Amino acid sequence: MFIKILLLCIFFAIMIAIGFYCRKHATDVNGFVLGGRSVGPWLTAFAYGTSYFSAVIFIGYAGQFGWKYGIASTWIGVGNALIGSLLAWVILGRRTRIMTQHLDSATMPEFFGARFGSKSVKIGASAITFIFLIPYTASLYNGLSRLFGMAFHIDYTVCIIIMAVLTGIYVIAGGYMATAINDFIQGIIMIFGIIAVIAAVLTSKGGFMAAIDGLARVEDPSVTATPGAFASFFGPDPLNLLGVVLLTSMGTWGLPQMVQKFYAIESEKSIHKGTIISTMFALIVAGGCYFLGGFGRLFSDQINVEAEGYDAIIPAMLSNLPDVLIGLVVLLVLSASMSTLSSLVMASSSTLTIDFLKDNIVKGMSEKAQLLVMRILIVVFIAISVVIAIVQYKSAVTFIAQLMGISWGALAGAFLAPLLYGLYWKGTTKTACWCSFIWGAGIMILNLLFNEMFPSILQSSINAGAFAMLGGMIIVPVVSLLTPKLDRELVDSCFSWYEEPVTVAAKFSLSDKE
């Protein structure tokens, strides 16, 4: 216990010290939200990766999908690396950085507002961002609480309050630069942690080949009648596995807290290097998490999934590890959770301040006032998510994967298509953007409220999210072809990247008139 507590104290002290060290970078809005757009490739790549993979992945998704699909769940991690990281950086990285800098936008809603010349689009995107980031944040606490309960026997409420307060301190103090530096340190911990844990867990089952052999002997007639399915290449249910791969990989392309990392990177050259770093990070961390989860059924004698839920699988797998390794696992999951939480609260507070309050509720808001409001909103956002997490836990409303599936599905379904088409196609219209917003958020709300009315394959929030996301990719071009085009001069200005960043903002005010 002493070793575990010592590791935690050192970890927290470093995080807070970095937060206060980075105060000099957070003296204006651009510095607080984007680190002055001067963040290097290593920090950006690790910030992207650590925001991507949290306790939701390690405790929730790895446990649930490893149990469902066996060793084939590793494909989810591979998809996260190749689609969610490599392709995302290649397709979105350069265009996002250049166009957002040209349009002088610091958030995704602000980009939509400038790109489509519409204040209502900006406000709508801001509302969707705030509403659907909350369940994602609540899910972070839930995953972490399972691990802390196993390692320290700490009450759930105490656990999430400690995590929330400490994250809030360094984010409020140092802004984006503090989160980026802390994400780098947390990413290093995650890499070493997952490698050490996989080695220890497989060793406890006699090594890799013995573990695979044991997994091949597992039978579950309720899932499949095929012998050895849980040790097979595509697992017992390839179709649903594909839905998970799509949502958890392409879904990141439409998440505001992920795309915002491209806004802050210092140069185009850094994007090339960041692409490689981010992909390798995802292969190790995501691939490792799902690979580990794939062996969950070997521990079925230690857990009753029906009674305790999927979220108890990974903690059960780790419960007999040595204290030093358990301490490392706690740091691993804590790092993943705090980095994602810091990214979420930054995205939410900046969106509400810049896109909703500024010039709409509060006219002529100064830089100093914006910074103060963002810091206050960080506290508010964390407090709301903590309350929801506690209520959810006490009433056993749902489990981690469902919470995250709803959030990812709504955000990716709403934002992915208009972002992608908006970056590459001049013909994308404001009406098409609105249709995508309504489609993505609407599908996930209906799935939450009227789940049984959906076809069986779409009753899963994961599959519904993938469906919403892919549907948006069809809706946006079709609606764009059928609806009035944007002002030609506005569109041409958006794509004339090498003008001064103020050009578009000066020529076109954000109104509902095209």
Side-chain angles (χ1 to χ4, degrees):
M1 185 64 73
F2 173 75
I3 293 173
K4 290 182 279 191
I5 292 176
L6 179 63
L7 287 172
L8 279 181
C9 290
I10 294 172
F11 175 81
F12 289 140
I14 292 173
M15 298 299 105
I16 293 174
I18 289 172
F20 284 100
Y21 171 76
C22 291
R23 282 182 299 175
K24 60 185 178 182
H25 296 285
T27 55
D28 59 19
V29 172
N30 188 48
F32 188 80
V33 177
L34 299 176
R37 295 187 189 265
S38 61
V39 184
W42 281 91
L43 291 184
T44 302
F46 271 68
Y48 185 92
T50 54
S51 298
Y52 195 162
F53 310 115
S54 64
V56 179
I57 301 293
F58 188 75
I59 303 296
Y61 273 22
Q64 177 180 355
F65 299 126
W67 187 271
K68 285 185 174 182
Y69 308 121
I71 199 68
S73 64
T74 307
W75 283 111
I76 305 172
V78 174
N80 292 172
L82 298 182
I83 302 173
S85 293
L86 177 62
L87 275 182
W89 278 72
V90 170
I91 294 174
L92 296 179
R94 177 176 177 271
R95 288 240 173 186
T96 301
R97 179 189 175 275
I98 294 175
M99 192 175 283
T100 55
Q101 190 166 10
H102 178 62
L103 298 178
D104 197 25
S105 54
T107 67
M108 186 181 285
E110 192 173 27
F111 165 77
F112 285 137
R115 171 64 180 83
F116 297 107
S118 171
K119 183 182 289 187
S120 64
V121 165
K122 183 174 78 166
I123 294 173
S126 175
I128 292 171
T129 300
F130 181 71
I131 291 169
F132 287 101
L133 283 184
I134 291 177
Y136 186 5
T137 309
S139 68
L140 297 179
Y141 300 119
N142 195 338
L144 193 65
S145 71
R146 297 272 186 169
L147 196 64
F148 264 68
M150 178 269 290
F152 297 101
H153 307 291
I154 297 177
D155 180 73
Y156 175 70
T157 304
V158 174
C159 167
I160 64 171
I161 289 176
I162 291 173
M163 173 186 164
V165 168
L166 292 172
T167 304
I169 289 173
Y170 78 73
V171 175
I172 290 169
Y176 183 84
M177 187 60 76
T179 67
I181 295 174
N182 277 331
D183 287 349
F184 181 77
I185 296 171
Q186 292 160 351
I188 297 293
I189 294 171
M190 289 166 68
I191 289 173
F192 282 102
I194 195 63
I195 293 173
V197 169
I198 290 172
V201 170
L202 292 183
T203 300
S204 73
K205 293 298 179 181
F208 175 67
M209 293 309 297
I212 287 289
D213 182 64
L215 200 60
R217 298 174 188 275
V218 172
E219 296 182 3
D220 188 346
S222 65
V223 176
T224 180
T226 305
F230 295 104
S232 65
F233 197 64
F234 289 118
D237 190 359
L239 185 60
N240 278 311
L241 176 61
L242 178 62
V244 178
V245 172
L246 284 175
L247 179 62
T248 61
S249 299
M250 281 197 72
T252 60
W253 296 27
L255 298 182
Q257 76 274 15
M258 302 294 294
V259 177
Q260 199 166 4
K261 302 295 186 291
F262 300 132
Y263 294 28
I265 197 165
E266 61 183 357
S267 66
E268 291 183 51
K269 183 179 179 181
S270 296
I271 291 174
H272 298 302
K273 187 181 291 185
T275 302
I276 298 170
I277 298 167
S278 177
T279 303
M280 295 307 299
F281 181 89
L283 274 174
I284 295 171
V285 174
C289 284
Y290 288 109
F291 176 76
L292 176 67
F295 293 96
R297 286 182 179 266
L298 296 182
F299 297 80
S300 57
D301 58 327
Q302 299 178 29
I303 181 176
N304 183 344
V305 172
E306 290 185 5
E308 299 178 65
Y310 294 115
D311 304 337
I313 295 171
I314 296 295
M317 295 174 70
L318 305 175
S319 58
N320 295 321
L321 295 180
D323 283 346
V324 174
L325 271 181
I326 289 181
L328 184 60
V329 171
V330 169
L331 288 185
L332 185 165
V333 180
L334 188 64
S335 296
S337 299
M338 291 181 71
S339 60
T340 306
L341 177 62
S342 64
S343 180
L344 293 174
V345 297
M346 280 294 296
S348 182
S349 65
S350 60
T351 289
L352 275 185
T353 303
I354 296 171
D355 306 321
F356 185 74
L357 296 177
K358 179 187 173 185
D359 298 330
N360 295 313
I361 307 299
V362 182
K363 303 293 183 182
M365 185 182 284
S366 66
E367 288 262 331
K368 186 176 180 181
Q370 289 178 57
L371 285 173
L372 176 61
V373 171
M374 275 190 273
R375 287 182 162 115
I376 292 172
L377 286 175
I378 287 171
V379 175
V380 172
F381 185 75
I382 289 177
I384 292 172
S385 61
V386 165
V387 170
I388 291 176
I390 293 173
V391 171
Q392 182 270 322
Y393 178 78
K394 299 294 184 183
S395 30
V397 174
T398 186
F399 51 86
I400 294 175
Q402 184 180 351
L403 280 174
M404 186 175 176
I406 292 167
S407 174
W408 275 39
L411 292 167
F415 295 152
L416 172 58
L419 173 67
L420 196 56
Y421 286 110
L423 288 171
Y424 279 90
W425 184 34
K426 290 185 177 182
T428 313
T429 66
K430 182 180 75 171
T431 306
C433 183
W434 267 116
C435 287
S436 183
F437 288 179
I438 295 168
W439 165 261
I443 285 290
M444 297 314 296
I445 291 172
L446 291 173
N447 181 266
L448 180 65
L449 300 177
F450 308 105
N451 184 267
E452 294 181 359
M453 296 177 64
F454 279 68
S456 58
I457 193 171
L458 295 180
Q459 289 182 6
S460 160
S461 60
I462 302 295
N463 291 344
F467 174 71
M469 184 174 61
L470 295 176
M473 296 297 292
I474 299 171
I475 289 170
V476 168
V478 171
V479 174
S480 292
L481 292 172
L482 300 174
T483 52
K485 305 302 178 186
L486 292 173
D487 182 273
R488 186 185 182 98
E489 192 178 355
L490 168 63
V491 175
D492 288 343
S493 295
C494 289
F495 282 85
S496 59
W497 294 341
Y498 299 104
E499 296 179 17
E500 290 296 321
V502 298
T503 302
V504 176
K507 286 184 178 180
F508 300 98
S509 61
L510 294 182
S511 67
D512 285 322
K513 295 181 179 179
E514 298 172 359

